[in-house]
Amino acid sequence: MTESHDAVQPFVPAAWEPSGGMPALRITDVKVILTAPDNIRLVVVKVLTSEPGLYGVGCASYTTRPAAVKSAIEEYLRPLLLGRDPNDIEDIWQVGHISGYWRTGPILMNALSGIDMALWDIKGKRAGMPVYQLLGGKVRRAAPVYSHASGRDPQEVEEQAIALMEQGYRYVRCQVDVPGNATYGVDEEEGPRQPYPPHLRARQGTWDTAAYARAVPRLFDHLRSRLGEEVGLLHDIHERLPPILAIGLAKELERFHLFFLEDPFAPEDNGYFPFLRQQTSTPIAMGELYVNQAEYVPLIKDRLIDFIRCHISAIGGITPARKLAAYCEFFGVRTAWHGPGDVSPVGHAANLALDLSCSNFGIQEWFRFGEAAREVFPGTPEVRDGMLWSNERPGLGVDIDEALAARYPLPEHPLNGAFPEVRQPDGTVIRW
Ligand code: CS2
Ligand code: MG
């Protein structure tokens, strides 16, 4: 009689245990926690082990599709993982990646990341070392960060930038409103938000590309004249321009010496990067929307970008990110991992572990979390003197207080957290 398909047990390589003379360890459960302490939807994974009290946490935050990530983990990755040795991080990543046959995509990659970061956290706790030690140790004391300034006009942006500089920030991302438009990046409050997410209120509306392309050089002209040359200034186009206008803007901004200009094109327009490179020396950062190595490898190998800005959970976690960082080093591309409020403090700790251990680190984006998020996530790294510091605890150093997290369920939302559309004045929908 042939064995039924259901009876097939997952292959767990018994010959590999016990690893390194350590007692055998098994994954006993995988839990997904959805929480929104700052009213931003976060997905956090907890991997439990057979050693009492030993578990790891990972970030799987795909803020616009949290329920889909939860389902991918609970229904597909959890059964694959139960009984395996959590030491086998690389093997588990490869198994999880190919087990669906069709690969990558933000849902699977975020799901894999939640597991992957949790396994690095476990390994660090077991070794009694912060994860950056497992990645090769520190090459810098702390990670210089940038934070966000925005406003209704250049004057307001200047005021916010000065406030940040007074707190010790030496790099500031600056976005200005285009009056009457659904402008990206100007309604972003840091810390606790209103129960009804601001992007749903403020960003729904229309978008005039030409008005935006005129407003940005005016903003930086104003900022450089008021703030001087020393502060590092950054700007995020957020795929909001047709490619040729983005090239024009990058050229116009050259004289303001930006630290970087971000996401000039959509991933679908990767083919424009060679033209951009030939036209301007404005440093280019790209990549928070990438999920697949086929999207970013060509840009690095051809030296078409200066900073890689992937959202680490969207590319599958620390395991692929450390390979990507090492690959970038060979081509002089620096890291600038995505660090908005929809990366959980656990994800920020993973960013930091790489920032501290990669010599080709460029800069770290930092979101100023509110008090609720800091309470839900004890150990959230801290900024001092414009830099993000490790708390030096074993593993990722950040935990999740599940009881507190449950007090901040995902907010009610008519689109279940999806972004509302932005349109051109004639009604054409555009990228968000
Ligand atoms: C932004 C993000 O931080 C950034 O660079 O592009 O705020 C992005 O808009 C959000 O992560 C989308 O949820
Ligand atoms: Mg961005």
Side-chain angles (χ1 to χ4, degrees):
M1 213 182 83
T2 49
E3 227 180 348
S4 90
H5 211 68
D6 292 347
V8 176
Q9 294 297 312
F11 168 73
V12 179
W16 297 347
E17 61 177 308
S19 42
M22 285 182 158
L25 196 62
R26 293 283 167 232
I27 294 175
T28 52
D29 204 1
V30 178
K31 288 167 74 175
V32 182
I33 302 152
L34 304 183
T35 184
D38 280 351
N39 275 307
I40 302 175
R41 293 166 173 72
L42 302 175
V43 184
V44 174
V45 175
K46 199 163 176 179
V47 174
L48 292 97
T49 74
S50 50
E51 186 180 312
L54 179 63
Y55 61 86
V57 290
C59 182
S61 297
Y62 179 11
T63 198
T64 46
R65 297 287 189 272
V69 175
K70 185 172 193 285
S71 153
I73 295 169
E74 289 179 346
E75 294 177 53
Y76 300 101
L77 293 178
R78 183 179 176 275
L80 201 65
L81 290 172
L82 294 182
R84 287 182 195 264
D85 183 344
N87 284 299
D88 299 339
I89 301 177
E90 178 72 26
D91 184 62
I92 288 174
W93 194 91
Q94 300 294 346
V95 168
H97 189 225
I98 59 176
S99 74
Y101 183 47
W102 280 273
R103 296 179 282 281
T104 79
I107 296 169
L108 173 63
M109 292 314 228
N110 271 286
L112 269 179
S113 165
I115 308 286
D116 181 74
M117 287 184 192
L119 298 183
W120 281 98
D121 190 28
I122 290 170
K123 202 181 276 294
K125 285 173 177 168
R126 249 196 149 193
M129 292 179 189
V131 169
Y132 72 76
Q133 291 290 6
L134 307 180
L135 300 174
K138 271 186 191 169
V139 292
R140 57 186 55 78
R141 285 185 301 145
V145 293
Y146 71 87
S147 193
H148 297 182
S150 63
R152 280 169 295 185
D153 53 40
Q155 179 68 36
E156 268 190 22
V157 185
E158 176 198 335
E159 284 161 18
Q160 282 200 19
I162 288 173
L164 287 170
M165 289 160 70
E166 284 172 356
Q167 290 168 48
Y169 287 90
R170 290 186 287 275
Y171 301 87
V172 186
R173 188 189 88 164
C174 298
Q175 309 287 137
V176 71
D177 191 29
V178 184
N181 280 269
T183 315
Y184 162 76
V186 291
D187 52 343
E188 285 187 0
E189 308 142 32
E190 304 274 312
R193 298 185 175 187
Q194 298 304 310
Y196 205 51
H199 58 69
L200 194 64
R201 289 181 273 119
R203 286 187 202 159
Q204 201 162 24
T206 57
W207 182 241
D208 178 344
T209 49
Y212 166 67
R214 288 192 301 271
V216 179
R218 283 204 293 263
L219 168 68
F220 284 98
D221 199 9
H222 176 91
L223 293 175
R224 275 295 178 224
S225 70
R226 301 302 170 97
L227 305 177
E229 282 290 331
E230 271 180 31
V231 59
L233 297 179
L234 302 81
H235 182 74
D236 189 351
I237 294 182
H238 216 262
E239 344 165 73
R240 283 296 190 93
L241 287 174
I244 193 63
L245 290 191
I247 293 174
L249 179 57
K251 284 175 70 168
E252 267 196 81
L253 293 177
E254 203 172 284
R255 65 200 164 102
F256 303 118
H257 306 120
L258 296 194
F259 185 78
F260 68 53
L261 179 63
E262 177 184 341
D263 286 7
F265 310 130
E268 294 85 346
D269 288 323
N270 265 358
Y272 273 92
F273 278 102
F275 306 119
L276 174 62
R277 213 42 163 184
Q278 286 156 17
Q279 292 282 339
T280 176
S281 62
T282 290
I284 301 298
M286 181 71 191
E288 69 190 43
L289 285 163
Y290 291 148
V291 291
N292 187 320
Q293 68 190 59
E295 294 171 309
Y296 45 78
V297 165
L299 300 182
I300 298 158
K301 128 179 127 42
D302 292 336
R303 300 178 166 89
L304 296 175
I305 58 172
D306 302 282
F307 296 89
I308 188 77
R309 251 188 84 60
C310 292
H311 183 103
I312 286 186
S313 65
I315 61 167
I318 294 173
T319 294
R322 75 189 177 100
K323 296 173 190 174
L324 172 56
Y327 182 67
C328 284
E329 186 187 337
F330 294 156
F331 296 94
V333 174
R334 288 176 279 168
T335 64
W337 307 117
H338 195 216
D342 51 282
V343 166
S344 74
V346 176
H348 278 268
N351 285 344
L352 182 59
L354 287 156
D355 297 341
L356 293 177
S357 58
C358 293
S359 64
N360 57 323
F361 162 81
I363 199 160
Q364 181 57 57
E365 179 181 30
W366 175 246
F367 179 79
R368 287 168 280 131
F369 287 103
E371 212 176 306
R374 290 175 175 283
E375 279 172 14
V376 169
F377 294 99
T380 298
E382 303 273 349
V383 169
R384 285 195 314 275
D385 193 24
M387 299 194 283
L388 191 60
W389 297 77
S390 164
N391 61 26
E392 303 297 337
R393 291 182 203 153
L396 289 171
V398 181
D399 205 351
I400 181 163
D401 180 329
E402 284 186 70
L404 253 187
R407 302 223 313 247
Y408 301 97
L410 303 196
E412 291 287 321
H413 187 271
L415 303 178
N416 200 18
F419 290 165
E421 65 262 32
V422 178
R423 294 178 183 275
Q424 287 178 353
D426 70 0
T428 311
V429 72
I430 62 150
R431 293 185 183 102
W432 195 77

